[in-house]
Structure formats: C-alpha cells, structure tokens
Amino acid sequence: SITRPSQRRLLSILLLHGGSTISRDRLIDHMWGHRPPRSARNSLHVHINALRKLVPRDVIRTSIQGYRVDLEGHSFDVSEFDRLALVVHGETDPLEQMPLTRRALKLWRGDPYQELAEDTFALPEVIRLNEKRFELLELQMHALLALGHHDEAIPQLRELVARHPFRERLHEDLMLARSEERRVGKEGRSRWSPYH
C-alpha cells in the first residue's frame, strides 16, 4: 500500500487528470506550489520511480510531454466509481440499479482526494465527484421506494435530509416514503381488524 504522503499526493495528482498527460513543470507546481525544492525535477523523478514500485506495472507512463496514469485495464477507486455511475444512469430497472449503486457507493471512503484538500486546482474534480455521489444516493433512494422498501429508505432519507437540507429531491422522496408507510400501515390495520 502507498503510505508516504508525498507518494499519495503524487498519485492523486496523476489520477486527478484522468489519464491525460501532465507536464513536468505543472506536476512540480502541483506537488510543491510556490516553494519547490532546488532540485525539483530530480526530486520528481525520484518520487515517480518510488511510486512505480508500488503500483501495477506500466500504470505510470512517461513521454516527452510528461507523465500520465494509464487507466485502461487497471482498477482505481475513482475510475471504477465513474464507470459504475455511468452504468447506473443507463439502467432503468430499479432491481438492476440497486446492486450497482451499492457497489459504487462502497468505493466511497471519506472525501475524495484528501491529499489535495487544500489545493484549489483539485476543487472542480472534488465537486464533480461529490455531486455524482449525491446523484447515486438519490437514485438508490428512488430504487428502494420503487421496490417497496420504505422501511429501509426512511431512516437513510432522514439522515440525508438532515445533512443536506437544500436537496429538494431528498425531501420529496422522504415525504413519499412516509406517505407510503402510512398507507401500508392503514391497510395492514384494516386487514387485521378484529371488527371485520
């Protein structure tokens, strides 16, 4: 596993560019900001070589233009999350959506790109991933309601609404789930009433 902060930061920066090549100068700027070491290029080379020993072979590609991560055939949480999210959005059957959304959301372990939390260049991608996660959570709640699992959906929706009070779709789903819960409850009481 990758434990050194410098190596985790380097891999995060490479992954942030989604398989596109990033120049050495830009990579140095992202790694050290306005205070790069005197031998920044040599330090970058050392970090790249150290990282290569910790990831599958040929994941990190070198060219005249710079470096990139080869996402083809390799499974990184962020790329797998994007792939599954795309599949979920293309699926209309709630029964098929449920396992896919659970697989995608299981990949979510804390905030994305935590090593870059204070870097403004990472902010657009972090926002994009967070928004995609919310979309999957909303789809998961819709699937639960469509499948009649209101008891499972309600506590999750209450928690989500409390944490994200401005997400209107969550409020609508919670109201729908409560309404359906009351309807089912009334039907159950009516069915088992000793006076019938």
Side-chain angles (χ1 to χ4, degrees):
S1 62
I2 303 170
T3 57
R4 293 186 63 179
S6 58
Q7 293 170 353
R8 292 178 65 86
R9 179 174 177 82
L10 177 57
L11 181 58
S12 292
I13 293 168
L14 290 168
L15 286 171
L16 188 72
H17 288 76
S20 299
T21 299
I22 176 171
S23 70
R24 290 166 179 80
D25 288 341
R26 193 174 182 189
L27 199 47
I28 287 169
D29 183 56
H30 285 351
M31 279 291 290
W32 294 288
H34 299 299
R35 294 184 178 179
R38 289 183 180 179
S39 54
R41 282 189 170 249
N42 184 60
S43 295
L44 178 62
H45 184 69
V46 169
H47 285 314
I48 288 285
N49 284 340
L51 187 59
R52 275 198 169 108
K53 295 175 182 178
L54 300 173
V55 297
R57 186 181 178 184
D58 296 331
V59 165
I60 299 175
R61 301 281 187 170
T62 307
S63 67
I64 296 174
Q65 290 77 25
Y67 300 98
R68 70 177 177 87
V69 168
D70 186 0
L71 298 177
E72 290 295 324
H74 302 290
S75 181
F76 291 99
D77 285 353
V78 64
S79 56
E80 181 65 4
F81 177 80
D82 272 331
R83 187 191 70 79
L84 286 170
L86 188 63
V87 175
V88 169
H89 281 287
E91 181 58 66
T92 57
D93 184 351
L95 201 58
E96 297 294 330
Q97 279 185 338
M98 281 303 301
L100 292 168
T101 54
R102 282 177 174 153
R103 278 176 59 194
L105 293 169
K106 196 174 180 181
L107 294 169
W108 200 270
R109 303 182 183 97
D111 295 328
Y113 295 111
Q114 293 180 24
E115 292 78 17
L116 309 176
E118 298 180 3
D119 297 280
T120 55
F121 66 81
L123 190 58
E125 178 65 1
V126 170
I127 291 173
R128 183 189 73 83
L129 288 170
N130 274 310
E131 183 60 29
K132 188 162 285 191
R133 175 177 177 260
F134 286 132
E135 288 175 1
L136 287 180
L137 284 167
E138 289 172 342
L139 284 172
Q140 186 180 52
M141 294 304 102
H142 267 292
L144 284 172
L145 295 179
L147 295 170
H149 301 318
H150 303 90
D151 290 344
E152 184 181 348
I154 287 173
Q156 294 183 57
L157 283 166
R158 281 175 178 158
E159 183 182 350
L160 287 168
V161 165
R163 285 164 50 196
H164 310 287
F166 300 110
R167 307 285 296 199
E168 292 184 7
R169 192 172 178 183
L170 294 175
H171 284 277
E172 291 171 2
D173 284 346
L174 180 56
M175 290 174 62
L176 176 63
R178 284 172 171 168
S179 175
E180 187 63 17
E181 183 185 46
R182 287 193 294 270
R183 184 188 67 78
V184 171
K186 287 178 180 178
E187 286 183 357
R189 287 192 296 272
S190 175
R191 189 178 301 118
W192 295 104
S193 172
Y195 301 105
H196 286 189

